Amino acid sequence: MNGSLWNGSLWLAWRQQRVLIGIGAAVLAAAAAIAAFSRSDMLDALHSGLFDHCGTGPLYCTRPDTGAPLLLDTDALKYLGTLNIALPILIGVFWGAPLLGRDRELGTHHMVLTQGISRGQWFASRVALAAATTVAVSGLLAGVFAWWWRPAADRSYGLFWYENAALSGSGPRVVAAALFGLAAGTLLGLLARRVLPAMGLTLLVTGAITLLLEWTHRTRLLVSPHTYVSAGSAPKPPMGEKWSTGHYGLITASGRQDNVLNCPFPSGAQLSECMAQRGYVARFYEANPAGDYWAFQWTDTAVLGGLALVLTAVTVLLLRRRV
């Protein structure tokens, strides 16, 4: 082994990671094949005319003859979204934690560093190869999901943008999340010195961050909802593709928001009379419009990408002390 990048550290990184790269390629190929088959069935169902009377909105579309709900089979699509959500955990535990941790545990990095390869080359070759593969696999999986999802996106018979499988299992946040998992596992592998404890810690950290971001979606902590106001004399416009917070009610002239049960009528003369008697001038509800899909996406991408950069920087700073 000489000190050149390809013949030295990068070649060794490829030797150590080629099985994981192969697994990633196999998962991607399987997902693409299943997506192509299932999407073809989805398009056949849509072209059959059975769904032509269905509109957008969260309410189920029904069969004209029996009244039973009409739904496309999106289970496999949701499984792919779930896989994409789990990527930071899987990559962090099985790729990131052993990336430096295995050499540290076995002591093989000492032999590598005596062959004219610097710490920087040893680190960069492993992380660069893993990061490039992570970006490629996660980006393509997110792309497969988006392509598969498009015919059924935001339809009563399909999958809405705010469902977990779509909101967290598609778009650029999938790539940022995967890189975060890799960075977290790499740092914990360096710190823990042993692979199994590093894998356990990585599972806890990446799992906690994944659940935390799901919680911020539900609570709208990072992307605020819009407030929609309407008069009580006419029915509210349909919710359509909006993601309701479940917060709605009545507004006084001073702007105070009260419970909708103070005037429990859907619309019309009874509601108008009740609102006038109690001093309400309008009713409201809070929701995120479909365009906020990208607000959630870029917010998550910034958070997860920022964490990945910070964790990688910490790993670089600790490298001289720990290796």
Side-chain angles (χ1 to χ4, degrees), residues 26-116:
V27 169
L28 179 59
I34 294 170
F37 178 80
S38 298
R39 190 178 190 271
S40 178
D41 284 349
M42 183 186 292
L43 290 175
D44 288 343
L46 291 173
H47 293 157
S48 70
L50 187 62
F51 295 87
D52 288 353
H53 67 289
C54 300
T56 60
L59 299 179
Y60 287 134
C61 182
T62 59
R63 290 179 178 272
D65 50 352
T66 64
L70 259 180
L71 296 170
L72 287 170
D73 184 4
T74 59
D75 287 346
L77 175 62
K78 292 178 181 178
Y79 292 146
L80 176 57
T82 302
L83 171 64
N84 288 347
I85 294 171
L87 275 182
I89 300 172
L90 296 173
I91 290 175
V93 170
F94 296 106
W95 203 324
L99 193 62
L100 304 182
R102 190 170 304 282
D103 278 354
R104 292 264 292 154
E105 181 176 354
L106 299 177
T108 51
H109 63 291
H110 293 301
M111 181 187 68
V112 173
L113 295 177
T114 61
Q115 305 300 312

Side-chain angles (χ1 to χ4, degrees), residues 184-200:
T186 302
L187 175 59
L188 291 169
L190 180 65
L191 293 174
R193 298 173 180 265
R194 295 174 63 85
V195 172
L196 284 179
M199 294 173 75

Side-chain angles (χ1 to χ4, degrees), residues 228-231 234-240 242 283 285:
Y228 297 87
V229 179
S230 63
K236 294 184 299 184
M239 182 70 69
K242 302 184 189 75
R283 56 185 176 176
Y285 67 90

Side-chain angles (χ1 to χ4, degrees), residues 4 11 47 56 74 104 140 156 164 201 217 283 310 313 320:
S4 70
W11 177 86
H47 293 157
T56 60
T74 59
R104 292 264 292 154
L140 289 171
S156 58
N164 281 349
L201 289 171
H217 293 170
R283 56 185 176 176
V310 169
R320 289 186 175 277

